[in-house]
Amino acid sequence: MPQRQPTVWDLVTLGTTTVACLVGGLVVGLLVDQHLHTVPVYTLVGLGVGIVAAALITYVRVRKYLKS
């Protein structure tokens, strides 16, 4: 049986994880671009990877609150 609603801690960790994925992907992309002198190719790739990772983590953590 799914839980009724998330706790404040669940929401805080979800937000923190989302920001970490987005910023992490962006920073790694910027560093690779800086090293290879290919601005903005890997910055955009890193940001895309961060967005996908954040979406997947959000889905996994939120699905336990959804009714089946």
Side-chain angles (χ1 to χ4, degrees), residues 24-49:
L26 186 63
V27 168
V28 169
L30 284 169
L31 291 173
V32 172
D33 269 338
Q34 186 179 22
H35 181 70
L36 298 177
H37 307 290
T38 57
V39 176
V41 175
Y42 291 104
T43 301
L44 295 175
V45 170
L47 186 58
V49 169

Side-chain angles (χ1 to χ4, degrees), residues 4 10 15 17-19 22 28-29 32 41-42 45 54 60-61 64:
R4 292 201 164 225
D10 291 333
T17 304
T18 300
V19 169
L22 295 174
V28 169
V32 172
V41 175
Y42 291 104
V45 170
V60 168
R61 290 194 178 185
K64 66 182 172 183

Side-chain angles (χ1 to χ4, degrees), residues 1-7 9-18 53-68:
M1 177 177 224
Q3 295 179 0
R4 292 201 164 225
Q5 60 188 9
T7 64
W9 183 249
D10 291 333
L11 297 175
V12 168
T13 57
L14 180 62
T16 304
T17 304
T18 300
L56 289 173
I57 290 171
T58 299
Y59 173 74
V60 168
R61 290 194 178 185
V62 169
R63 90 177 154 185
K64 66 182 172 183
Y65 301 109
L66 302 174
K67 293 181 181 179
S68 47

